[in-house]
């Protein structure tokens, strides 16, 4: 499978239909954690992510089928490397039997060495806040570590001041993310279609609502006699 990273980062002001935050509904500058997700305009086989959190260790978003800790989940992390003080973006996997340790992807066919396409100009750690932007292919690169993102997942959000451990053998230990219990969405969400389990997307619901309103107005106009 061959993909090329999108070349052009999304400009400011572009709509990101799926936004999750801690606390829910906060203004981005006031959030402890914030992530926005959209389908890339340049290549619709990719999702664009903007992520930010008040942390000095790492921030992470996970996609899993379990409404629990980040186990059996595809986890994207932006971490401050303690050796360089630079922010790095990673695609990792958290298996069931090592739910406290994330393993970096090891598939040599992936887009980059970390299976994500980081926007280097958007990786920063300033005033106690980690910020990053990256793209990730929607489909899988290997069936062990990656998950196809056009599917329903409980989305898991974590941020911490605990320093990640860049270990040998491909291990990236994301320690102490809320005692291994990150904030998790109450319903599963498809990040590609922006749908919640058992429902249509918000945009679709708004379009249906608009059609109903316009039809009702047309019916009222037809029933009211002209004076």
């Amino acid at each position: 499978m061959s993909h090329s990273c999108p070349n052009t980062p999304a400009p400011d002001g572009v709509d990101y239909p799926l936004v999750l935050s801690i606390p829910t509904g906060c203004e981005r500058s006031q959030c402890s954690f914030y992530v926005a997700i959209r389908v890339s305009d340049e290549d619709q086989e990719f999702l664009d992510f903007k992520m930010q959190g008040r942390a000095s260790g790492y921030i992470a978003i996970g996609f899993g089928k379990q409404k629990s800790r980040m186990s059996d989940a595809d986890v994207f992390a932006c971490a401050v490397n303690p050796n360089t003080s630079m922010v790095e973006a990673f695609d990792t996997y958290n298996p069931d039997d090592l739910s406290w340790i994330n393993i970096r992807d090891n598939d040599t066919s992936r887009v980059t060495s970390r299976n994500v396409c980081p926007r280097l100009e958007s990786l920063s750690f300033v005033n106690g806040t980690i910020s990053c932007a990256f793209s990730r292919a929607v489909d899988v690169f290997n069936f062990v570590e990656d998950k196809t993102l056009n599917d329903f997942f409980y989305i898991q959000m974590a941020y911490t001041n605990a320093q990640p451990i860049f270990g040998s053998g491909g291990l990236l230990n994301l320690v102490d993310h809320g005692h291994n219990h990150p904030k998790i969405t109450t319903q599963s969400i498809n990040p590609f279609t922006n749908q919640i389990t058992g429902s249509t997307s918000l945009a679709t619901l708004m379009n249906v609502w608009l059609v109903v309103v316009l039809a009702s107005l047309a019916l009222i106009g037809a029933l009211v006699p002209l004076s």
Side-chain angles (χ1 to χ4, degrees), residues 184-203:
I184 302 174
T185 56
T186 57
Q187 293 178 284
S188 57
I189 300 172
N190 185 320
F192 183 74
T193 62
N194 190 28
Q195 290 177 297
I196 299 173
T197 302
S199 72
T200 55
S201 67
L202 178 60

Side-chain angles (χ1 to χ4, degrees), residues 112-217:
T112 69
S113 61
R114 297 184 182 89
N115 205 3
V116 294
C117 303
R119 309 299 189 190
L120 298 180
E121 71 280 4
S122 300
L123 304 178
S124 67
F125 175 54
V126 179
N127 296 327
T129 296
I130 298 173
S131 299
C132 60
F134 56 89
S135 298
R136 160 59 152 77
V138 174
D139 54 16
V140 298
F141 287 88
N142 69 66
F143 291 95
V144 176
E145 299 168 346
D146 293 324
K147 294 186 182 297
T148 298
L149 297 181
N150 187 5
D151 198 357
F152 288 91
F153 300 99
Y154 290 102
I155 299 181
Q156 310 155 347
M157 298 162 279
Y159 62 100
T160 182
N161 292 328
Q163 288 188 339
I165 300 172
F166 291 76
S168 60
L171 294 182
L172 175 66
N173 189 351
L174 300 182
V175 295
D176 187 34
H177 48 75
H179 303 291
N180 293 319
H181 290 285
K183 184 174 178 62
I184 302 174
T185 56
T186 57
Q187 293 178 284
S188 57
I189 300 172
N190 185 320
F192 183 74
T193 62
N194 190 28
Q195 290 177 297
I196 299 173
T197 302
S199 72
T200 55
S201 67
L202 178 60
T204 300
L205 290 175
M206 291 300 293
N207 288 336
V208 171
W209 175 83
L210 181 60
V211 169
V212 171
V213 169
L214 292 176
S216 299
L217 291 175

